[in-house]
Amino acid sequence: MHATIQPERLPRAVHELVEIFAKNDRKAWLVGGCVRDLLLGKEAKDFDFATNARPEETRSFFRRTIPTGIAHGTITVLLRGMSFEVTTLRGEKSYSDGRRPDEIEFVDDIREDLARRDFTINAIAYDLIKDELIDPFGGQLDLARGIIRTVGDPLERFREDGLRILRGARFASTLEFRLAPETEAAFEPSLDIFAKVSGERIRDEWQKALKARRPSIAFEIMARTGILRTIDAELGAYAAERRAAFAEALAAMDRLEPEFCIRLAALLRGLHADAGSSAKTAEALLRKLRSSRDEMRRVPLLIRAASTLPELERPEQWRRLARLAGHDEWENALAILRAFHPEKTKDIDAVRDKIRMDLDSGLPLTEKDLAIMGSDLIREVGLKPGPSIGRILRALFDEAFADPTLNERSVLLERAKALSKE
Ligand code: ATP
Ligand code: MG
């Protein structure tokens, strides 16, 4: 009835690792996401192991190891060009702040280790030597039915670690599963604990949710259960008060390629009536999530560039989009507009062709794209170094931006001469 794991399809290094533990009188089980994904017939992203060997023992069994997370019992083992996280079986006692367990205790029973895991579908272990699944919480049944359910009492489990509610929303979208009703009902009463979760951990989950085929599932759940307003009040208000616009943003997100910045720009583009305010809120949100500098630059830029649909007959409109987005992002800005207006795909493709032709014929998007630079003005036009150089370059840029055919060395030098006499 249930799906099974086919041991012969696992990499040789996985077999070898398990055998090395056996030879040393210890056991290693495959656990967590890889067991779940293999049972779903998907490729496993990485193979994680749980073992009854202590971390020092694990280190002594292999030639190449890294003490990645030795404090919580995790050793990275390098074998046959692959790397595996091997974690000593843990029970978890108390959680006082809803973020991190206070104390780690090592245990000998795989079932105890599975009991501390978040969802039943993530709490299945696989014994490769016996070809046997250890599934004390009905994870296989939930996998077959497409249900996300906590191991044990949801409220208790969410109050131990507030991040779990966001993980639940994330798995709902990456797996396209439903939340068990009791599990979802415990989201709201856990928001105060969720509020203590760090920005980095939220970002990691968003990153994963935004790679899903339908990220909208996760964001719909976040909106419905209050996670969104707990992360950011303005985003929460957007989802709650402007439901139609928010729903359109979610649909647009699903249509876009699975790229963090592009999809996030689609989500946040309609936050406020004007693009400038939306871009500012987006930047503040990304800062809260400890996003990279590059993300904090790209998302607001895409929001500004994709704020309005340029008309085909209005070159100044699509040139403005290209200038705001720049060489690397203008096609992404158009992709966002296409995702919001799928019925206008043809028009938007025509705009894309116009911009391409413009760029081919010399349309500058920054002063760096001009066919001359400041030093040419000094050498060829005889200008003195100083503020007049910048002023003339700006004027030349404006002219070439309005008419790309002017972006030619001799033409620009002539214009510079004329401008310097004004
Ligand atoms: P992914 O495929 O996205 O990596 P995953 O299930 O492997 O999903 P990880 O974050 O890599 O997720 O965690 C590995 C395993 O550790 C999970 O399957 C789960 O059993 C356990 N786990 C991770 N985070 C938590 C948590 N916050 N609370 C309880 N168990 C957790
Ligand atoms: Mg994982």
Side-chain angles (χ1 to χ4, degrees), residues 104-123:
I104 305 285
E105 50 157 358
F106 293 137
V107 299
D108 293 315
D109 186 356
I110 179 73
R111 284 159 201 271
E112 235 184 290
D113 181 273
L114 295 174
R116 70 167 176 89
R117 293 174 183 268
D118 48 8
F119 300 106
T120 62
I121 56 170
N122 290 343

Side-chain angles (χ1 to χ4, degrees), residues 31-34 36-37 45-48 85 167 170-171 208:
V31 282
C34 63
R36 179 197 68 219
D37 291 343
K45 280 193 289 295
D46 30 44
F47 295 94
D48 297 333
E85 288 204 345
R167 285 175 59 84
R170 187 261 281 191
F171 286 121
K208 290 181 176 175

